[in-house]
Amino acid sequence: MSRIPRGCPGSRHPGHGLSERSSDFSRTGYVEDAAAVLEHLGIHGAAVLGHSLGGVNAYQLAAWFPALVDALIVEDIGAEVDDDLSFSLAWPHRAPTRAELLEGLGTSARYLIGAVREYPDGWGLAFDPKDMNASQQELNGDHWNDWLSSACPALLVRGSRSTVLSAEHAKDMATRRPHTQLMELPAGHTVHETVPDEFAAAVNEFLGSL
């Protein structure tokens, strides 16, 4: 079994980091891109870890391309997704300084530090919030069939204070899917960021048990 780093199945929307803008934000686009990367690298039987959107990418990858995935780690996302990111459309397109851009981003700034760029006409983000909203709309929906379609071992990690994945939904996911462990850690939605040591220990323990 190969181990691949967090984010390989697309833990963020394209363009947040150093990747180029994508023209395809569909579920098929995300999952087939991830499969193409693994195929290109000659990786089969990977342990795939994804957070939030990346978690859906991960379990859909396992469902659609079972030969590529031997194990799943899904962080704080459900088999049903219904979220609204339209608030991001109010973010400033450009600001005179980095500090003013971060101020304009408000409480979201801490999640977007890596996507802040300087342009000839000021400071802005590496991506267009309209793209992020399109991506979220494609993500919303009922994905139970994909969650239940794969048979590889899975670890579902939930933040105990998460407002994205409820305790009841997480328990239902673990109960309905064979070979699935549920772990709750004292965090919100970004478990890996809030309690990195505990998160790493849970992932390592799961991988070590395979």
Side-chain angles (χ1 to χ4, degrees):
M1 178 179 68
S2 301
R3 295 184 183 180
I4 59 179
R6 174 173 62 87
C8 263
S11 62
R12 294 192 177 194
H13 304 268
H16 277 57
L18 300 178
S19 62
E20 297 179 357
R21 179 183 180 274
S22 173
S23 60
D24 184 0
F25 298 101
S26 68
R27 294 287 77 230
T28 299
Y30 273 107
V31 177
E32 289 188 349
D33 277 356
V37 169
L38 294 179
E39 292 281 11
H40 176 74
L41 296 174
I43 296 176
H44 294 82
V48 182
L49 188 160
H51 167 246
S52 196
L53 175 146
V56 179
N57 294 347
Y59 68 67
Q60 288 184 328
L61 179 68
W64 300 3
F65 299 92
L68 296 179
V69 181
D70 273 1
L72 281 174
I73 304 101
V74 175
E75 180 190 349
D76 211 71
I77 195 67
E80 297 175 21
V81 181
D82 183 15
D83 204 356
D84 180 6
L85 300 180
S86 61
F87 63 86
S88 66
L89 298 176
W91 291 340
H93 176 65
R94 290 286 186 271
T97 66
R98 184 176 185 273
E100 288 175 277
L101 175 65
L102 294 177
E103 182 179 357
L105 295 173
T107 57
S108 300
R110 63 188 294 253
Y111 302 108
L112 299 169
I113 292 294
V116 171
R117 302 285 187 273
E118 185 176 14
Y119 296 94
D121 58 344
W123 288 82
L125 296 171
F127 64 95
D128 189 333
K130 292 179 182 177
D131 292 343
M132 189 172 74
N133 276 270
S135 181
Q136 183 64 51
Q137 291 304 310
E138 292 284 347
L139 180 66
N140 287 342
D142 185 329
H143 307 301
W144 272 109
N145 187 59
D146 291 321
W147 171 248
L148 299 174
S149 290
S150 62
C152 62
L155 173 66
L156 177 61
V157 180
R158 175 184 180 268
S160 60
R161 300 188 299 275
S162 174
T163 58
V164 173
L165 177 60
S166 71
E168 293 76 16
H169 189 58
K171 289 176 183 177
D172 197 19
M173 290 173 69
T175 299
R176 291 177 59 180
R177 186 186 184 279
H179 315 299
T180 301
Q181 301 177 34
L182 174 60
M183 170 71 71
E184 283 201 350
L185 293 173
H189 182 49
T190 53
V191 184
H192 65 276
E193 181 183 77
T194 306
V195 286
D197 292 340
E198 293 89 338
F199 181 79
V203 170
N204 286 330
E205 182 178 354
F206 169 71
L207 293 176
S209 70
L210 300 177

